[in-house]
Amino acid sequence: MSLASLPTPAALIDITRMERNIARMQQRMDALGVRFRPHVKTTKCQQVVQAQLQAGASGITVSTLKEAEQFFAAGIRDIVYAVGMAPTKLEQALALRRQGCDLKIVADSVVCAEAIVAFGRAHDASFEVWIEIDVDGHRSGIAPDDAVLLAVGSILHAGGMRLGGVLAHAGSSYDHDNDAALIAVAEQERAGCVHAAERLRAAGLPCEVVSIGSTPTALRAEQLRGVTEVRAGVYAMFDLVMYNVGVNTLDDIALSVLTTVIGHQPEKGWAIVDAGWMAMSRDRGTQGRRQDFGYGQVCTEDGQVLQGYLMSGANQEHGILSRQGSPDSQIAQHLPIGTRLRILPNHACATGAQYPHYQAIAADGSVTTWPRFNGW
Amino acid sequence: MSLASLPTPAALIDITRMERNIARMQQRMDALGVRFRPHVKTTKCQQVVQAQLQAGASGITVSTLKEAEQFFAAGIRDIVYAVGMAPTKLEQALALRRQGCDLKIVADSVVCAEAIVAFGRAHDASFEVWIEIDVDGHRSGIAPDDAVLLAVGSILHAGGMRLGGVLAHAGSSYDHDNDAALIAVAEQERAGCVHAAERLRAAGLPCEVVSIGSTPTALRAEQLRGVTEVRAGVYAMFDLVMYNVGVNTLDDIALSVLTTVIGHQPEKGWAIVDAGWMAMSRDRGTQGRRQDFGYGQVCTEDGQVLQGYLMSGANQEHGILSRQGSPDSQIAQHLPIGTRLRILPNHACATGAQYPHYQAIAADGSVTTWPRFNGW
């Protein structure tokens, strides 16, 4: 199979770029002296995760128990399920542990900790639990100074669970676009999570792991004293949101959508392609940011950026391409029907999820199908 | 299986509501004296499409050739592929026709018409082609008065293709929120498409079918003189975008996402659930419209709307629920960990596409898994 013979739309991975992105992150983590645990939610693809592990990653992070099941079946034991545990999912988590999966689960409340302890007693089971720390008010977690932290730790420890560590994610890092701000958020993430660990230890509770991370903070942190591991996901592909954040160039983006021109509205300067929001996802993550890319940046079939040409609109299976600023009245001549293009996506996690597989392009131009999975 | 035992997140279809929606549209089309051809892109689900056909629909509309293949394999012959034909997809379309599928394809340019004719000659094949008409500047199609219309018709007819009709979709109807505007758009869609058909016929070209439609215009058109069939898709489920347009109540929405509360940030009035954008889609179609529902409207597990509670934020597997206006400082008491809720989606087509199957709930509470497919 070759790029020229692929049906459209298709989700392409440029393997050279992907490997460069993976090496860049791993080398950085090695230099900072921490383990690296990639978040596999971005690609849910064995081939990508194998490349991450081969580069030196230690274990994986998952966003669903289905990811844990699939990657455990593929031979990966060391897994953190980084979404607060729903008590009803404990049975599924226990089944994984009993099969030999070293699954870690997450709690951030007394109610959740008590439910885990009660379930453990009822099933004669012990879980390794990490406490989620809120370092930036972004989403879930316990503030580092909150009294609830010690209550949760005590309940889990006294209840026979293994209190494995603390975990934080500075999701607010996505909102910044300059290095000074990213360095500050990275330090806030580090300091908050380390502080929470120190409070637990000072209270006589175990807390071996201090796990933090997001792609921007991982790439901009100046030092990681007290941190034992970092998690990040989108760095393996990068995307236009991360380009706006300032951590990758357009030429680093490893994921793109291959599409074909199917029509024009010449007086509007529109080319219509066979990739709409179903192929790109509805993610408009660059809206209102430094540069709004619409539904994506248009490139030639071989990946050269067509400056100024964006997917400016999208219906389910139609994308509208146009030139920003001055409409291209000659677009039907510049991009005639049948022209094949690549579109760089706003958000690699969301775009990848629209596909059952990637088409991975090697440096020699050969194409291999890499399956991915979706659902729960 | 029962609602109470379903793992979360899950995509629920309320069968009673779905059947009511399907009956409502079919009765209207019957009363207006036109055939009805549902667009199956909304659900890509055999059970839903069978319900539409049983209610009286004639054939189906598809947005991908994969939909055509899947529904033809399930016994449906009369299919319109309503996206402008990419010349490279003609081989796949021909294979379907040679298997006995009565597949109609669409063209809106001289280049496309010529490519179809050339392919037909090279493969000793004839396609039935419908010409796409642009009635509202929304996307693809030829304006009803454009000289290109007759050129395309002549090329196809002279080239041995069956010129089956004209097809229009007033996608701009989604932008309105009052009946007067919808009635006007519906009339514009009807009049424009009928006018194009009359021009073709006046030029001695065949044009049997006049096919129009969108959910809002189908539900608000006052008369359909000259139209032979109507297409619509989202009406079977409805959603919050259509609620804003004004064509359904919240109680008509047949699709919802079942989710579980996994945590809180009480001082912010947040409940965190295990359905994020992966479960809801990234569709923010109600943004900037009459009522912005965030990522969705919160309901109880049995479907009662919780007025004012929205999914105000979403990460990949986390949703943030909050009360609009005044934050609910007692949210941890009102919606404790483990509470199961339903979320009504902005856009049923986008939310459904995040799932490999629906969980269909009958009036007696029984639950059946209905598969759907995705991809191309």
Side-chain angles (χ1 to χ4, degrees):
Chain A
M1 209 155 50
S2 70
L3 182 60
S5 67
L6 284 175
T8 58
L12 308 181
I13 289 179
D14 179 317
I15 298 178
T16 306
R17 292 182 180 190
M18 178 193 87
E19 289 180 340
R20 193 172 70 209
N21 297 339
I22 289 172
R24 174 184 167 199
M25 180 66 85
Q26 187 64 50
Q27 282 159 14
R28 210 180 137 68
M29 294 301 105
D30 292 347
L32 287 163
V34 293
R35 288 191 304 275
F36 181 61
R37 182 187 292 279
H39 205 318
V40 303
K41 76 181 179 70
T42 301
T43 63
K44 305 194 186 194
C45 171
Q46 301 288 352
Q47 286 86 346
V48 177
V49 175
Q50 285 307 322
Q52 291 169 313
L53 293 172
Q54 275 159 29
S58 300
I60 61 171
T61 313
V62 300
S63 70
T64 64
L65 287 177
K66 179 170 182 177
E67 290 162 51
E69 289 166 348
Q70 295 270 325
F71 286 104
F72 176 62
I76 300 171
R77 281 189 71 247
D78 180 2
I79 300 177
V80 174
Y81 170 44
V83 176
M85 197 67 202
T88 46
K89 292 184 173 126
L90 283 164
E91 206 160 329
Q92 195 181 354
L94 180 58
L96 269 165
R97 285 184 66 88
R98 290 207 163 140
Q99 290 166 58
C101 179
D102 181 19
L103 179 72
K104 273 76 75 167
I105 61 174
V106 165
D108 73 346
S109 67
V110 165
V111 173
C112 181
E114 285 173 343
I116 293 169
V117 167
F119 182 93
R121 286 207 177 115
H123 295 80
D124 193 22
S126 178
F127 288 95
E128 178 168 342
V129 187
W130 294 8
I131 300 178
E132 184 169 5
I133 307 302
D134 177 16
V135 291
D136 60 354
H138 171 65
R139 184 171 74 196
S140 304
I142 302 168
D145 264 323
D146 195 319
V148 170
L149 174 66
L150 300 185
V152 169
S154 301
I155 290 164
L156 291 167
H157 186 61
M161 301 300 129
R162 174 171 155 72
L163 195 53
V166 285
L167 164 149
H169 166 61
S172 65
S173 63
Y174 283 41
D175 301 335
H176 297 291
D177 61 6
N178 68 82
D179 283 0
L182 291 176
I183 289 167
V185 178
E187 175 55 18
Q188 182 181 324
E189 184 184 43
R190 182 203 71 82
C193 203
V194 169
H195 178 58
E198 285 167 348
R199 286 186 65 218
L200 287 166
R201 291 169 191 151
L205 294 165
C207 184
E208 193 181 309
V209 173
V210 178
S211 176
I212 62 169
S214 74
T215 287
T217 55
L219 291 171
R220 288 294 176 266
E222 294 192 314
Q223 53 88 8
L224 292 176
R225 270 190 304 279
V227 171
T228 66
E229 68 164 44
V230 168
R231 309 179 322 281
V234 78
Y235 79 97
M237 296 292 126
F238 284 127
D239 54 29
L240 296 169
V241 166
M242 287 295 118
Y243 171 80
N244 271 341
V245 171
V247 293
N248 65 267
T249 66
L250 295 182
D251 289 340
D252 291 329
I253 299 176
L255 179 69
S256 61
V257 170
L258 188 68
T259 187
T260 303
V261 176
I262 59 171
H264 302 91
Q265 296 289 9
E267 71 291 349
K268 292 176 180 154
W270 289 359
I272 312 288
V273 294
D274 70 350
W277 61 252
M278 188 66 90
M280 299 305 304
S281 91
R282 269 294 196 192
D283 200 298
R284 287 282 291 103
T286 57
Q287 187 179 31
R289 298 305 167 95
R290 193 168 54 172
Q291 187 170 350
D292 186 339
F293 286 94
Y295 284 88
Q297 168 67 51
V298 182
C299 305
T300 61
E301 183 176 18
D302 64 355
Q304 303 300 308
V305 171
L306 287 172
Q307 278 300 341
Y309 288 83
L310 301 182
M311 185 180 285
S312 48
N315 295 140
Q316 187 159 337
E317 298 290 346
H318 297 81
I320 297 174
L321 310 187
S322 61
R323 190 170 65 194
Q324 299 312 287
S326 63
D328 177 2
S329 60
Q330 300 296 304
I331 199 162
Q333 286 74 50
H334 293 149
L335 304 175
I337 287 178
T339 304
R340 288 157 70 91
L341 299 163
R342 289 193 206 187
I343 316 290
L344 301 177
N346 283 320
H347 188 176
C349 307
T351 301
Q354 302 298 106
Y355 293 83
H357 44 66
Y358 297 105
Q359 303 294 353
I361 305 168
D364 66 1
S366 63
V367 177
T368 316
T369 300
W370 288 0
R372 60 163 286 150
F373 59 89
N374 293 305
W376 292 268
Chain B
M1 210 157 46
S2 69
L3 183 60
S5 68
L6 284 175
T8 57
L12 308 181
I13 289 180
D14 179 317
I15 298 177
T16 306
R17 292 181 180 191
M18 177 193 86
E19 289 180 341
R20 193 172 70 209
N21 297 339
I22 289 172
R24 173 184 168 199
M25 180 65 84
Q26 187 65 49
Q27 283 160 14
R28 211 178 137 68
M29 295 301 105
D30 292 346
L32 286 164
V34 294
R35 289 192 302 276
F36 181 61
R37 182 188 292 280
H39 205 318
V40 303
K41 75 181 179 72
T42 301
T43 63
K44 305 193 186 193
C45 171
Q46 300 288 352
Q47 286 86 345
V48 176
V49 175
Q50 285 307 323
Q52 291 169 312
L53 293 172
Q54 276 161 28
S58 301
I60 61 171
T61 313
V62 301
S63 70
T64 63
L65 287 176
K66 179 170 182 176
E67 290 163 49
E69 289 165 348
Q70 296 269 324
F71 286 104
F72 175 62
I76 300 171
R77 280 190 72 248
D78 180 2
I79 301 177
V80 175
Y81 170 44
V83 176
M85 197 66 204
T88 45
K89 291 184 173 125
L90 283 164
E91 206 161 328
Q92 195 181 354
L94 179 58
L96 270 165
R97 285 184 67 87
R98 291 209 161 137
Q99 289 166 58
C101 179
D102 181 18
L103 180 72
K104 273 76 73 169
I105 61 176
V106 164
D108 74 347
S109 68
V110 165
V111 173
C112 181
E114 285 174 341
I116 293 169
V117 167
F119 182 93
R121 286 205 177 115
H123 294 80
D124 194 21
S126 179
F127 289 95
E128 177 169 343
V129 187
W130 293 8
I131 301 178
E132 185 169 4
I133 307 300
D134 176 15
V135 291
D136 60 354
H138 171 65
R139 184 171 75 193
S140 304
I142 302 168
D145 264 325
D146 195 319
V148 170
L149 174 65
L150 300 185
V152 169
S154 301
I155 290 164
L156 291 167
H157 186 60
M161 301 299 128
R162 175 171 155 71
L163 196 52
V166 285
L167 164 149
H169 166 62
S172 65
S173 62
Y174 283 42
D175 300 336
H176 297 291
D177 62 6
N178 68 83
D179 283 359
L182 291 176
I183 290 167
V185 178
E187 176 54 18
Q188 182 180 326
E189 183 183 42
R190 183 203 69 81
C193 204
V194 168
H195 178 58
E198 285 166 349
R199 286 186 65 218
L200 287 166
R201 292 170 191 149
L205 294 163
C207 184
E208 192 181 308
V209 173
V210 177
S211 175
I212 62 169
S214 73
T215 287
T217 55
L219 291 171
R220 288 294 176 264
E222 295 193 315
Q223 53 88 8
L224 292 176
R225 271 190 303 277
V227 170
T228 66
E229 67 165 46
V230 168
R231 309 178 322 281
V234 77
Y235 79 96
M237 297 292 127
F238 283 129
D239 54 28
L240 295 169
V241 166
M242 287 295 117
Y243 170 80
N244 271 341
V245 172
V247 293
N248 64 266
T249 66
L250 295 182
D251 289 340
D252 291 329
I253 300 177
L255 179 69
S256 61
V257 170
L258 188 68
T259 187
T260 303
V261 176
I262 59 170
H264 302 91
Q265 296 289 9
E267 71 292 349
K268 292 176 181 154
W270 289 358
I272 312 289
V273 294
D274 69 351
W277 61 252
M278 189 65 89
M280 299 305 303
S281 91
R282 268 295 196 191
D283 201 297
R284 286 282 291 104
T286 57
Q287 187 179 29
R289 298 304 167 95
R290 193 168 54 172
Q291 188 170 349
D292 185 339
F293 286 94
Y295 283 89
Q297 169 67 52
V298 181
C299 304
T300 61
E301 183 175 19
D302 64 356
Q304 303 301 308
V305 171
L306 288 173
Q307 278 300 340
Y309 288 82
L310 302 182
M311 185 180 286
S312 48
N315 296 140
Q316 188 159 335
E317 298 289 348
H318 296 82
I320 297 173
L321 310 188
S322 60
R323 190 170 64 194
Q324 299 311 287
S326 63
D328 177 2
S329 60
Q330 301 296 305
I331 199 162
Q333 286 72 49
H334 293 150
L335 305 175
I337 286 178
T339 303
R340 289 157 70 91
L341 299 163
R342 289 193 207 188
I343 316 290
L344 301 178
N346 283 319
H347 188 177
C349 307
T351 301
Q354 302 298 106
Y355 293 83
H357 45 67
Y358 297 106
Q359 304 293 353
I361 305 168
D364 67 1
S366 63
V367 177
T368 317
T369 300
W370 287 0
R372 60 163 285 150
F373 58 90
N374 292 304
W376 293 268

